[in-house]
Amino acid sequence: MKKSILIAICIAFPIITNAQIQYDTLSVKQIGHGIFHYTIEAPSVPWTIDVVEIDITESSTTLETVKAEDSFSGYERTSSMAKRKSTAGHQVVAAVNGDFYGGGTPTNAQVIKGDIMKGPINRDVFGFTREKKMFINPTSYSGNIYVDGDAFEMHGVNRARGTDQLIYYNHFYGSSTGTNQYGTELILYAVDPWVVNGKVRAVVTDTHSGGDAPLTDTTFVLSGHGTSKTVLDAIAIGDTVTIEHQLQPGFDNLKEVVGGRGKFLNDGQNQGDWPERHPRTAVGFNDDSTKVYFMTVDGRKSTSAGMTLTEMGEFMSTFGVTDALNLDGGGSTTMVVHDEVVNSPSDGSGERAVANALMLVSTKEKTGVLNKVQLNPNYLKMYKGSTYAFDAYGSDENYYPMELDSSKINFSLSEGFSGSISADGKYTAGSAADTGYVIMEYEGIGDSSLVIVKGITDFSIFPKYAVSDTSYQFSFFNEAFDFDGQEHNVNNADVEWSVENPEIGAVTNGVFSGLGAGSTKIIGTYDGVSDTAEVDIEIGVGEEVINSFEDAGTWTLSGKNVDLQNSAISTTDSEQTDGDHSLKIDYSFVYENTPDVWLYLNLNEGIPLFGVPDSLILDAKTDGKKHLIEIGLADNDDEGFHIRVKKWAENTSFDIYPALTEDILSNGAYSSFYYPITITQIGIRLASDQETGKEYTGTIYLDNLRITYPARSGDAVSNEEVREIPQKVALEQNYPNPFNPVTQISFSVPKTTDVELTVYDVLGREVTALLDKKVQAGNHSVSFDATGLSTGMYFYQLRADDYTLSKKMMLIK
């Protein structure tokens, strides 16, 4: 089959919601007459979802609820309940866990085959009648017994009997009623099939005085106290009474009821109000009640995040569900299909024992004759080079599973589809993106699965901009995503790296090394997708003063556990090591059992640093206490870092305090450091003898903040000569001019600023944007390659700060 046909078929599988989340249907498996099991995922979230779609009009199909261990307070796994209730002519095809619970007792009402097991609370229930009518709403209980046409109120079901009350007990409650001796109890059996919201005749088989009457599978007990005892005392063995249990509002002839919490779809309106994502279970039906849906979504896993009720409503609406109820979720979430748990429960120990379940039952018999085979999944998206083990299933004409002889299963691949398939169904994808089929054949019956092998569609390298020199190396990192938005780890050694100007630097396995001053682009390519970064090589030499603390107005104070109102900064001309002034810091704080007392000097405008210094040096004079000095920094993408000086600031005369850039530390847990850096702050941890309630004051002087660069061979030049910081924005004439096809455009900026450099044709149409980023103060040069352009006049324009400068250039071919 041709690849174009395969891709067209693939388009039929995804479902796109209004929120533009793509759902991929991995498998559609028919599990009964009019019954389908869907396995669906949304990789971008991610979600893994199972849905059973039931055509409830099929005469062989019905719904039932089941109580764990058939006991009022029993616990049992959903898969165990489903298997236990499967008998000849009564096969449980699928099941999901049911209501919320406590102590093994469901929170809300439950009706089993028309017999009420527990009364309701003010929460929604899912109700199902003998005529297959359905509703979801809260209900309330009322009950009556009718004796010779007279009605007497029943006050509850399977609960402790109170004063003057009449309580209904059945075998779910236990082996006996557990009542005291102050009442009368009648033992009865039902003549008619049990039903709620209808009347059932029953015959009295025995009376029981003294309380605690026995309960059996075929009998029930009416237990009365006080005024209700008087009613029962008038009824004799052999008498017929009528029982009426009501759950209203609800349809007549209720056969099954299970509780939940949160009707999140109501007549097509999404009213989900549970905003946290969790594993979830739900039941719902469509607008004409012809189809019922069981749904589970896994959660608390890397492969599936769980859903909010709103998200679950949006998803179920894609199936045409108009009314849906949220059942118990979290670790309880379980879906069973043909005795197999098909979802992935979130509990570490696997499937959880719960209080009850909702089951799909078929009267179709198992034939034992193989009728069809199926590959699972039907549809698969996988990443190149990965391996997936396909499963092959057999079933009879009624879709009940049948075991296949693995030695008779033959696997193959469609023509031209890359990769390999083993004898036991393990497919290993090829090294490139592809689309094709995995095919299986078994005794003349076959099936196939569509497979899309994904490659990378989005590849990025970081940092986008960095500064280095000829002695400092740094590593790029990358991010790679396929078309589903799934991230894949890519080793830098597998990336194809190239340098636009190899005289400036080189990249080996993602590690950049500078070779000479200038700028160059770095290109990383993986799986045919490329991304570009830019590196400036700035070579600093010697030592440079970057702040002489001549103006206190360039700094502001903040702090931690310090008294800012009684702390201040100013300049003084009486103490200095460089220039005419130093910075004087007067501090004050009261120690309140908080060891970390910090005073921060924040620069109103950060000081960008040239190149890759090896140290920052500060002169300081203190009041003799052991203070600690840190220098705050921001790197190329404004992430915060700091360096602590190498010794205590405790001298009472000016001393030198160095901070080595090799000791730079991140302010956050996941920051990556890259040059260029900007000094943003000086922090001083103020010392004290930590006497609670004591006030501490003092004065610290700072002066002569400077940077040093690594020693280099050759003639030394000043950093000012290296940097050539201009006095104003300037745009130079390109060189060469005229040119063919490459020319250099140079410009200068006096401070770090945002720069745009754009080329236009003679009609004013933009040809290309050469530059759009923040650049440091200094002289810069950008290469313009006019390959593909026609001979003629072009203009280039520089925008920086409030300046707009333009020049023209001539391309001659």
Side-chain angles (χ1 to χ4, degrees), residues 579-600:
D580 299 325
H581 301 85
S582 66
L583 196 67
K584 179 184 179 185
I585 304 115
D586 296 303
Y587 67 85
S588 175
F589 66 94
V590 175
Y591 185 78
E592 297 291 354
N593 200 29
T594 49
D596 285 340
V597 179
W598 284 90
L599 191 67
Y600 297 112

Side-chain angles (χ1 to χ4, degrees), residues 482-686:
D482 63 30
F483 61 73
D484 284 320
Q486 288 185 295
E487 186 171 3
H488 297 273
N489 293 325
V490 174
N491 193 309
N492 269 340
D494 296 326
V495 177
E496 179 184 342
W497 299 95
S498 62
V499 181
E500 185 180 74
N501 188 344
E503 295 182 357
I504 302 300
V507 180
T508 304
N509 293 335
V511 179
F512 179 86
S513 302
L515 301 176
S519 298
T520 186
K521 287 182 170 59
I522 309 298
I523 301 97
T525 303
Y526 181 77
D527 209 11
V529 184
S530 298
D531 192 32
T532 302
E534 187 167 351
V535 178
D536 286 342
I537 300 300
E538 298 177 346
I539 303 173
V541 178
E543 181 176 295
E544 177 184 355
V545 176
I546 55 175
N547 193 293
S548 297
F549 297 98
E550 299 291 325
D551 182 6
T554 61
W555 304 85
T556 58
L557 278 182
S558 64
K560 176 182 178 182
N561 300 320
V562 71
D563 181 0
L564 291 176
Q565 288 189 343
N566 292 304
S567 301
I569 53 174
S570 59
T571 55
T572 177
D573 57 6
S574 62
E575 304 278 355
Q576 69 274 338
T577 60
D578 182 71
D580 299 325
H581 301 85
S582 66
L583 196 67
K584 179 184 179 185
I585 304 115
D586 296 303
Y587 67 85
S588 175
F589 66 94
V590 175
Y591 185 78
E592 297 291 354
N593 200 29
T594 49
D596 285 340
V597 179
W598 284 90
L599 191 67
Y600 297 112
L601 286 73
N602 306 292
L603 277 160
N604 299 332
E605 189 171 325
I607 304 173
L609 301 185
F610 178 78
V612 182
D614 59 4
S615 65
L616 306 179
I617 302 173
L618 186 67
D619 294 342
K621 173 183 175 180
T622 78
D623 47 20
K625 301 182 182 72
K626 281 191 173 184
H627 306 292
L628 180 67
I629 299 176
E630 284 186 354
I631 299 176
L633 308 168
D635 73 348
N636 65 328
D637 56 1
D638 290 328
E639 289 186 313
F641 297 83
H642 64 274
I643 324 174
R644 288 190 174 180
V645 300
K646 301 298 288 184
K647 61 182 181 179
W648 295 108
E650 57 182 339
N651 285 350
T652 55
S653 58
F654 271 107
D655 197 358
I656 297 173
Y657 294 93
L660 305 182
T661 56
E662 65 184 27
D663 296 329
I664 289 177
L665 299 172
S666 171
N667 294 346
Y670 304 105
S671 298
S672 299
F673 175 78
Y674 292 95
Y675 288 98
I677 55 176
T678 298
I679 296 178
T680 60
Q681 181 186 79
I682 296 175
I684 305 172
R685 192 177 74 184
L686 299 171

Side-chain angles (χ1 to χ4, degrees), residues 724-744:
E724 299 179 333
I725 297 177
Q727 299 301 310
K728 63 179 182 179
V729 176
L731 179 64
E732 306 298 332
Q733 185 64 52
N734 65 300
Y735 181 82
N737 187 45
F739 67 98
N740 179 25
V742 178
T743 187
Q744 297 292 319

Side-chain angles (χ1 to χ4, degrees), residues 366-383:
K366 296 180 178 180
T367 68
V369 179
L370 183 67
N371 180 261
K372 57 183 70 66
V373 294
Q374 183 173 335
L375 265 179
N376 187 51
N378 309 120
Y379 168 67
L380 178 67
K381 292 192 294 188
M382 57 190 298
Y383 188 61

Side-chain angles (χ1 to χ4, degrees), residues 250-268:
F251 296 128
D252 291 344
N253 297 321
L254 268 179
K255 173 179 170 286
E256 307 290 338
V257 168
V258 67
R261 181 182 175 188
K263 184 179 183 181
F264 58 92
L265 284 178
N266 183 22
D267 197 22

